[in-house]
Amino acid sequence: MPADLPRLHCPDTARAKTGIVHLGLGAFYRAHGAVYIAEAMKASGGDWGIVGVSLVRPDQRDLLAPQGFAYTAVELGPDGEKPQVVGVLNDVLVAPENPAAVLEIMAAPGTRIVTSTVTEKGYCHEPSTGRLNREHPDIVHDLAHPEAPKSTIGFLVRALAKRRAAGIRPFTVLCCDNLPENGRVVRGIVLEFATLVDQGLADWIAAEGRFPSTMVDRIVPATKPEDVDRLSGQTGVLDLSPVMHEPFRQWVVEDDFVDGERPDFAAVGVELVKDVTPYEHMKLRCLNGTHSSLAYLGYLAGHETIADTVADPVFAAFVKRLWSDEIVPVLDPPPGVDLSRYTASLFDRYANPAIRHRTWQIAMDGSQKLPQRILGTVAENLAAGRMPKGLCLAIAAWMRYVGGVDEKGQAIDVRDPLAAELKQISDRGHSAAEKVDGLLSIRKIFPEQLASNKSLRDELVRSYERLVANGAGATVKDMTHA
Ligand code: CS2
């Protein structure tokens, strides 16, 4: 790394006052929501500076503090790389070091929105039902120690309680994670938790709080050391925490904020709508559903990235078939959207060779992702009397993946909150059928109605057997006749 380069610093423009606290400061938000918010302030002003909160590790704070919390967002497009310095972060707090400081900024009168990207598992809920998981260790902790929370839900509820006690209006909770009807789901979890703390608080949040649902979209792979080196070579300054993203972006938001207080989103292309549900379904099922399918099957077939996977003609034909035969037929498009154009553009985005998005990264946390990405589509196909064989193959590939051994007999580093349970259940089964039955019996993932469908179960067993006997590449090939 070129150590003698000057370090990136925050542009000298006056900083906006903090109006937003963001929970879960990962690459995605820094390349998506934060960029939109910075642009909205540039276009129309407003005090919408952001304080980021890392809920687990200090890494981001440690990298960003010496840069005045500025970072470079790099667009990786067909015509090269476009770096842009983003100076919208005012501070980064590390929650486990000082939860009181996080609660203080969340409860400050100037904070009017709390955004979150804490990943699917960060809401401590059961993916199959959307309800609070009261046995989650962080939830148990936060109910016992409300003044020093660990979980996103614990922070939201405690900060809202502080605002209520101080006579301050609630903030809007703007969830930016890939959950279906994410605002409504988070509202339900927050209210369930608040009820356990104080019914009066829960009633106040229910009446005065706002939780607009959102659909967020931009492909942002994890930043790699070579990205840092390449960027510093191009710019002559050292940024130790840039984010890499594709040109495409989309943000659809329900326009329902506490007292209407929000950045001027419309000025920068955020789509403000009454009901985000059709957009969320389209994106979660068409994009994330096929992303996960390609991740498990592609990983097993030895492909490192999504771009490598769809460069393989067999997989290209497979993903197109998933869209045309299984996903789009059971989807109601949002007003004015042509789904065949939408999926064609998804294919081009996947094929962008500059985006090195690892199949292993997308394969993480499958237990939290499958329901909203794949299982809804499967259920609707079954209800229409069709067996969605491609998606069944994807589920079987997930089942094989969580068994923890790849096609060459090498261990897979399975990252999932249920990893130990999944491996144990998989290991207990001696045959494909026993493994499939064991995994299907996990109610946190597979609802009873789906798991008890005999033809689905038989199709999963057949798919699993084929994956073991022939490998993922050959099985996908057979299916697409490519
Ligand atoms: C991906 C998403 O990692 C994953 O599971 O499917 O992060 C995906 O890249 C984004 O949702 C795109 O908007």
Side-chain angles (χ1 to χ4, degrees):
M1 181 172 308
D4 48 349
L5 291 177
R7 192 74 180 264
L8 177 73
H9 63 276
C10 197
D12 289 333
T13 48
R15 279 175 190 264
K17 289 196 196 116
T18 298
I20 296 176
V21 173
H22 178 71
L23 304 179
L25 193 65
F28 177 76
Y29 183 77
R30 292 198 291 129
H32 183 268
V35 174
Y36 273 111
I37 290 162
E39 288 176 11
M41 277 197 289
K42 206 166 170 198
S44 311
D47 284 329
W48 298 108
I50 303 172
V51 169
V53 177
S54 294
L55 289 158
V56 186
R57 281 179 300 274
D59 316 22
Q60 276 312 317
R61 189 265 325 271
D62 294 349
L63 293 172
L64 291 169
Q67 313 182 166
F69 305 103
Y71 59 90
T72 319
V74 185
E75 179 178 306
L76 305 175
D79 41 353
E81 307 197 356
K82 290 190 201 129
Q84 176 197 357
V85 174
V86 183
V88 72
L89 286 176
N90 287 340
D91 198 0
V92 177
L93 304 177
V94 181
E97 287 176 8
N98 191 351
V102 176
L103 289 172
E104 193 183 315
I105 185 71
M106 291 175 79
T111 301
R112 283 147 297 152
I113 300 178
V114 173
T115 48
S116 62
T117 48
V118 293
T119 79
E120 294 84 345
K121 63 177 177 289
Y123 297 94
C124 303
H125 71 302
E126 277 193 6
S128 62
T129 60
R131 304 277 314 267
L132 176 71
N133 174 4
R134 295 187 188 188
E135 278 140 43
H136 192 293
D138 290 352
I139 296 299
V140 173
H141 172 276
D142 291 358
L143 286 168
H145 307 281
E147 74 300 338
K150 287 183 176 176
S151 73
T152 299
I153 301 301
F155 273 108
L156 289 172
V157 172
R158 183 63 177 177
L160 286 166
K162 281 168 80 78
R163 294 177 81 98
R164 178 171 175 245
I168 303 169
R169 301 280 291 146
F171 44 68
T172 297
V173 178
L174 194 65
C175 172
C176 302
D177 274 301
N178 286 316
L179 295 169
E181 301 181 49
N182 53 11
R184 267 178 286 288
V185 169
V186 174
R187 179 177 187 271
I189 304 168
V190 162
L191 289 179
E192 220 178 313
F193 186 102
T195 304
L196 299 173
V197 175
D198 168 0
Q199 188 59 48
L201 172 65
D203 293 343
W204 180 75
I205 298 173
E208 305 296 332
R210 291 292 179 270
F211 298 77
S213 289
T214 68
M215 180 271 249
V216 293
D217 191 7
R218 173 165 259 182
I219 294 177
V220 185
T223 303
K224 302 167 191 64
E226 57 267 30
D227 298 323
V228 172
D229 291 346
R230 199 177 60 252
L231 179 66
S232 60
Q234 287 164 5
T235 60
V237 293
L238 184 61
D239 177 353
L240 287 181
S241 191
V243 286
M244 305 287 134
H245 61 79
E246 63 171 340
F248 182 89
R249 67 177 185 177
Q250 190 175 13
W251 200 3
V252 189
V253 176
E254 285 174 2
D255 199 5
D256 182 22
F257 288 72
V258 175
D259 303 327
E261 291 261 10
R262 58 162 170 77
D264 187 2
F265 283 140
V268 291
V270 176
E271 294 160 69
L272 293 159
V273 300
K274 253 196 141 58
D275 179 11
V276 108
T277 315
Y279 297 88
E280 266 178 342
H281 276 192
M282 171 180 80
K283 193 264 175 171
L284 285 169
R285 292 176 173 202
C286 291
L287 192 160
N288 299 106
T290 56
H291 238 188
S292 290
S293 303
L294 291 170
Y296 297 114
L297 287 159
Y299 183 96
L300 292 173
H303 293 307
E304 197 193 337
T305 66
I306 291 294
D308 292 347
T309 309
V310 299
D312 177 340
V314 162
F315 278 87
F318 175 72
V319 71
K320 288 176 183 168
R321 185 198 134 133
L322 287 183
W323 284 317
S324 64
D325 295 7
E326 302 186 9
I327 299 175
V328 168
V330 289
L331 203 55
D332 286 329
V337 175
D338 172 345
L339 288 175
S340 58
R341 279 175 55 187
Y342 179 75
T343 55
S345 88
L346 288 184
F347 187 84
D348 293 342
R349 291 168 61 194
Y350 290 177
N352 179 350
I355 297 285
R356 310 267 320 143
H357 203 180
R358 294 176 68 194
T359 47
W360 176 81
Q361 188 190 347
I362 298 164
M364 277 184 209
D365 297 342
S367 68
Q368 314 295 302
K369 293 175 174 174
L370 288 192
Q372 60 273 20
R373 294 182 175 207
I374 294 180
L375 301 186
T377 309
V378 169
E380 287 173 29
N381 271 279
L382 293 173
R386 278 188 307 263
M387 181 58 66
K389 291 190 175 179
L391 290 172
C392 288
L393 184 61
I395 299 171
W398 169 76
M399 290 178 162
R400 182 131 163 79
Y401 183 92
V402 298
V405 182
D406 74 10
E407 293 181 359
K408 296 199 179 97
Q410 303 293 315
I412 303 174
D413 179 6
V414 177
R415 303 279 175 96
D416 193 296
L418 302 187
E421 183 179 342
L422 296 169
K423 170 119 184 79
Q424 207 179 37
I425 292 173
S426 172
D427 286 352
R428 222 184 285 142
H430 297 297
S431 60
E434 284 179 15
K435 288 179 194 284
V436 167
D437 287 339
L439 291 164
L440 267 183
S441 71
I442 306 177
R443 280 297 153 273
K444 283 174 269 191
I445 306 173
F446 298 98
E448 172 68 32
Q449 214 200 350
L450 210 56
S452 61
N453 184 311
K454 171 104 175 49
S455 357
L456 173 69
R457 179 260 181 198
D458 291 347
E459 181 62 30
L460 290 173
V461 173
R462 270 193 299 275
S463 302
Y464 193 104
E465 283 168 349
R466 281 188 207 125
L467 286 174
V468 175
N470 308 328
T475 309
V476 170
K477 185 168 183 189
D478 279 354
M479 178 165 279
T480 55
H481 309 294

